[in-house]
């Protein structure tokens, strides 16, 4: 995953590539705990593999106890615009709905991130209401998209 996530194109709008394999290993160990010690939410993460078995990226969710979940994803840029991201996120949404009872999906992204916005719109996400934006947005340059 270090090679997959070291693609600088992924970070055009936010964040930075992992600084080292050791750093990424520590990050994955934390995520393997599946949530904070207080049990207030679940952290779910799946790698995205191609039929060949090659790694392409990941999808992830933070599932709240109130029936909603934050969703996120990252794919290496060589796999963009091939339907892989859409299929992966769609599979995650189905799993979250069926196995975890999630009724509302929330994605928070940089307003300039036209690729993610297009992917989310293709899956039926819409711009969040003023109340949803207030609840979920941390930074002024972010938008909130919701699928209920």
């Amino acid at each position: 995953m270090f090679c997959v996530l070291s693609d600088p194109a992924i970070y055009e709008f936010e964040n930075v590539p992992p600084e080292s394999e050791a750093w990424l290993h520590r990050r994955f160990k934390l995520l393997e705990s599946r949530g904070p010690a207080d049990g207030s939410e679940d952290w779910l993460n799946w790698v995205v593999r191609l039929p060949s078995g090659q790694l392409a990226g990941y999808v992830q969710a933070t599932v709240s106890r109130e029936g909603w979940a934050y969703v996120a994803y990252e794919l290496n840029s060589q796999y963009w615009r091939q339907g892989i991201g859409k299929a992966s996120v769609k599979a995650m949404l189905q799993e979250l709905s069926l196995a975890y009872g999630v009724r509302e999906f929330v994605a928070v992204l940089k307003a300039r991130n036209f690729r993610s916005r297009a992917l989310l719109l293709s899956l039926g996400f819409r711009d969040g209401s003023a109340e949803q934006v207030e609840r979920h947005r941390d930074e002024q340059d972010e938008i909130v998209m919701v699928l209920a």
Side-chain angles (χ1 to χ4, degrees):
M1 285 299 292
F2 180 74
C3 290
V4 171
L5 297 177
S6 292
D7 177 3
I10 297 171
Y11 308 99
E12 178 179 357
F13 302 107
E14 62 185 314
N15 300 326
V16 294
E19 59 190 53
S20 66
E21 287 184 29
W23 180 93
L24 189 59
H25 179 75
R26 287 189 303 275
R27 175 77 178 141
F28 285 168
K29 283 295 264 188
L30 173 67
L31 294 174
E32 283 178 1
S33 69
R34 297 191 60 142
D38 66 6
S40 60
E41 58 191 23
D42 291 318
W43 300 336
L44 305 172
N45 299 272
W46 297 270
V47 296
V48 174
R49 288 189 183 273
L50 303 176
S52 67
Q54 186 172 349
L55 292 166
Y58 68 83
V59 294
Q60 66 183 187
T62 300
V63 180
S64 77
R65 298 290 176 244
E66 292 85 34
W68 60 271
Y70 286 118
V71 297
Y73 43 86
E74 282 188 321
L75 289 182
N76 187 282
S77 64
Q78 69 180 318
Y79 303 114
W80 292 352
R81 301 188 53 84
Q82 298 176 39
I84 298 165
K86 182 175 181 177
S88 301
V89 173
K90 185 176 182 178
M92 175 181 60
L93 299 178
Q94 290 172 340
E95 175 69 11
L96 293 171
S97 178
L98 295 173
Y100 294 88
V102 174
R103 298 177 309 280
E104 183 177 78
F105 305 96
V106 179
V108 180
L109 57 146
K110 296 297 184 185
R112 299 177 302 127
N113 192 338
F114 62 93
R115 290 181 202 93
S116 280
R117 181 170 173 76
L119 183 136
L120 293 166
L121 286 170
S122 76
L123 289 165
F125 280 75
R126 298 293 173 245
D127 290 330
S129 67
E131 178 184 318
Q132 290 165 324
V133 169
E134 178 67 26
R135 181 177 182 190
H136 299 292
R137 184 177 68 182
D138 290 329
E139 299 175 16
Q140 288 297 316
D141 64 342
E142 294 176 332
I143 60 172
V144 174
M145 298 186 72
V146 177
L147 176 64

